Amino acid sequence: RKEVEQDPGPFNVPEGATVAFNCTYSNSASQSFFWYRQDCRKEPKLLMSVYSSGNEDGRFTAQLNRASQYISLLIRDSKLSDSATYLCVVNIPGRDDKIIFGKGTRLHILP
Amino acid sequence: DAGVIQSPRHEVTEMGQEVTLRCKPISGHDYLFWYRQTMMRGLELLIYFNNNVPIDDSGMPEDRFSAKMPNASFSTLKIQPSEPRDSAVYFCASSFSPNQPQHFGDGTRLSIL
């Protein structure tokens, strides 16, 4: 099983709809989780951290399911500007902690 | 508030030439990361430093790649000799710790002809 896995998409979603995607991770000891957003030909930017109890930032909700080892990102009332690639990020604890980026899920919001 | 600064933004060179990419991390960040991104392989961690010391270079593809961090405010990634398959976007990122969010530079778009 890969350390971090995401559905590459693309997800083609009409404007205003709700969309959700998951990211699975293999190391049960992982403690830190993030969602990043990457626009075409730009650098990845932190979208939000993912907390154990789940957290919300405006139209975005992130959740963690430790039992099934996945995190999720839900986007409500999607906007054209939400079109981007969403990268899941998970820490791999060890003597030297590592952060692993998923390959990303592409999202296209359709007018 | 300066972010991570990378140079050059674009580099086009012929195979066999030496390429040097530069990075200035955010002041106060103890960790610095070098990544390579391609369509096929996504974002790959090449190497990371803690307090200027290389911690994990297992992602460095081969001996042609080397990275240094002579001080807390500067790092270089060098490819010598360069090959066409090295063409990619190279990102530098920094953070307070490996478990905290990383901040990325704008990247260097490298094309080896």
Side-chain angles (χ1 to χ4, degrees):
Chain A
R1 184 177 180 182
K2 290 182 183 175
E3 290 176 310
V4 178
E5 273 194 279
Q6 294 183 254
D7 183 337
F11 284 51
N12 296 310
V13 174
E15 191 176 9
T18 295
V19 60
F21 25 84
N22 295 336
C23 165
T24 58
Y25 60 95
S26 61
N27 193 318
S28 60
S30 293
Q31 295 288 335
S32 301
F33 308 91
F34 308 97
W35 283 104
Y36 277 68
R37 172 195 168 123
Q38 186 172 23
D39 293 294
C40 187
R41 301 181 69 79
K42 297 282 193 178
E43 75 278 17
K45 290 184 179 178
L46 177 69
L47 177 66
M48 58 198 302
S49 302
V50 185
Y51 302 121
S52 297
S53 54
N55 47 301
E56 196 172 297
D57 182 1
R59 299 181 292 108
F60 298 82
T61 300
Q63 292 194 310
L64 167 64
N65 184 315
R66 285 198 184 277
S68 301
Q69 292 182 205
Y70 71 87
I71 64 172
S72 64
L73 179 67
L74 181 124
I75 307 174
R76 287 182 299 276
D77 186 23
S78 53
K79 313 289 184 192
L80 295 176
S81 57
D82 294 333
S83 297
T85 297
Y86 291 84
L87 304 168
C88 157
V89 183
V90 179
N91 84 307
I92 307 295
R95 189 175 68 88
D96 300 315
D97 278 2
K98 288 200 306 189
I99 291 282
I100 303 292
F101 280 75
K103 288 190 168 25
T105 296
R106 282 189 298 143
L107 175 64
H108 295 156
I109 304 300
L110 308 172
Chain B
D1 188 17
V4 175
I5 300 172
Q6 290 187 246
S7 64
R9 291 291 303 275
H10 303 272
E11 175 90 12
V12 180
T13 192
E14 293 185 345
M15 66 177 292
Q17 297 298 307
E18 179 178 288
V19 173
T20 300
L21 311 182
R22 297 173 178 79
C23 175
K24 176 179 166 56
I26 292 173
S27 178
H29 281 188
D30 291 334
Y31 286 80
L32 182 141
F33 306 82
W34 281 102
Y35 291 91
R36 177 173 68 176
Q37 187 173 40
T38 61
M39 289 292 292
M40 291 296 294
R41 300 171 69 95
L43 197 64
E44 301 174 278
L45 176 65
L46 300 177
I47 185 171
Y48 79 91
F49 295 83
N50 176 20
N51 289 321
N52 315 336
V53 176
I55 301 300
D56 182 355
D57 65 354
S58 59
M60 295 286 263
E62 46 197 275
D63 292 345
R64 298 184 297 106
F65 285 68
S66 62
K68 293 182 181 178
M69 192 164 184
N71 58 62
S73 58
F74 183 65
S75 177
T76 59
L77 178 67
K78 193 169 288 189
I79 308 172
Q80 167 62 21
S82 56
E83 297 182 2
R85 60 191 167 121
D86 301 330
S87 298
V89 181
Y90 290 81
F91 288 106
C92 175
S94 70
S95 69
F96 286 113
S97 83
N99 294 326
Q100 292 193 304
Q102 297 176 21
H103 298 262
F104 283 74
D106 291 337
T108 294
R109 280 167 178 72
L110 178 64
S111 296
I112 309 297
L113 307 176

